[in-house]
Amino acid sequence: MPTRRAPQPEDRGKAAEQTRERILDAAVAEFGAKGYAGARTAGIAARAGVNQQLISYYFGGKQGLLEELRRRWQRVESSIAAPDASFDESIGAYLDATLDRPDWARLAVWQALGDCPFTDAEEGERHAEAQRSRLAASVEKMRLRQQAGEVTDAIEPEFALLVAYAVIFAPIAMPQFVRDILGDDPLAPETRQRLHRQLTRLLGGAEE
């Protein structure tokens, strides 16, 4: 019989990292489906196929999971579209980021509804201030696109940004409406292409 090799430290480290990633993937799915208030660590553990105690061991509990997911989404969000991307390219990038990760997008919707609490009021205010700053920068970028003729100036830049967010998140926030209105699967590639095409036509500047 071959001698069984004892696990090496690097093997244990890799196994631990894989377990952490399984838990995080399960947490995104559970939070996305039920919101933070409705999610249970038992449900997350069952999705991940791990002992429930490992959630506390690796993340300190449900709140720790949420905080790690927030950090990860912030990194993703900061790199969705290149700084010099055109309006059309930006719309495509945000549609891909949202609809390729429906569980993450649902978590963002829950957070927008106030369901994802922070550990304390001060941390929550820091997050809110950072979000206001990001959105203000997005409004300013929309205004510059209008001045360049890339986006219509028939509406306020704030409203143009709001319309873009509403359409991009519609398949996640209102899937049944999208299905009934457009007559197709909200997450189907054809629906994504249609939303992209119509949104750029709606908000795009005058054609040459």
Side-chain angles (χ1 to χ4, degrees):
M1 257 181 99
T3 304
R4 193 170 176 183
R5 184 175 70 92
Q8 298 300 303
E10 59 269 23
D11 296 332
R12 290 193 292 270
K14 181 185 257 187
E17 186 57 31
Q18 290 172 342
T19 299
R20 281 175 53 88
E21 291 302 316
R22 285 208 314 275
I23 293 172
L24 286 167
D25 288 344
V28 173
E30 189 78 0
F31 290 151
K34 300 177 182 178
Y36 180 84
R40 298 290 180 269
T41 54
I44 295 169
R47 284 180 185 266
V50 302
N51 188 300
Q52 186 176 342
Q53 292 179 338
L54 286 177
I55 294 176
S56 295
Y57 177 75
Y58 286 121
F59 301 101
K62 192 167 76 164
Q63 183 69 41
L65 272 173
L66 180 62
E67 290 167 1
E68 176 60 25
L69 293 176
R70 279 201 185 105
R71 286 190 287 270
R72 292 193 174 206
W73 178 249
Q74 286 171 0
R75 291 197 294 269
V76 170
E77 194 174 28
S78 65
S79 62
I80 289 175
D84 60 348
S86 68
F87 179 63
D88 180 74
E89 290 168 341
S90 294
I91 292 298
Y94 275 92
L95 276 167
D96 288 344
T98 302
L99 304 185
D100 283 347
R101 304 174 177 88
D103 288 328
W104 284 94
R106 291 185 190 101
L107 180 57
V109 171
W110 280 110
Q111 181 165 294
L113 292 170
D115 179 68
C116 298
F118 288 85
T119 51
D120 57 57
E122 184 177 339
E123 183 184 0
E125 182 52 38
R126 283 198 301 269
H127 174 83
E129 181 57 36
Q131 178 165 282
R132 285 192 290 268
S133 296
R134 286 195 301 272
L135 291 175
S138 296
V139 169
E140 182 58 26
K141 189 162 190 174
M142 189 70 77
R143 182 178 288 109
L144 293 174
R145 290 189 189 280
Q146 289 178 319
Q147 292 172 0
E150 192 180 5
V151 173
T152 178
D153 60 2
I155 58 176
E156 298 171 359
E158 294 87 352
F159 193 75
L161 183 65
L162 187 60
V163 168
Y165 271 117
V167 172
I168 289 168
F169 274 92
I172 301 298
M174 301 184 294
Q176 196 59 52
F177 277 19
V178 172
R179 186 188 306 276
D180 291 346
I181 292 170
L182 301 183
D184 210 342
D185 180 351
L187 298 181
E190 296 77 14
T191 301
R192 185 182 311 194
Q193 293 163 9
R194 189 174 179 185
L195 293 175
H196 187 173
R197 184 170 60 250
Q198 295 301 321
L199 188 54
T200 51
R201 285 179 181 174
L202 178 67
L203 296 179
E207 295 183 2
E208 297 291 335

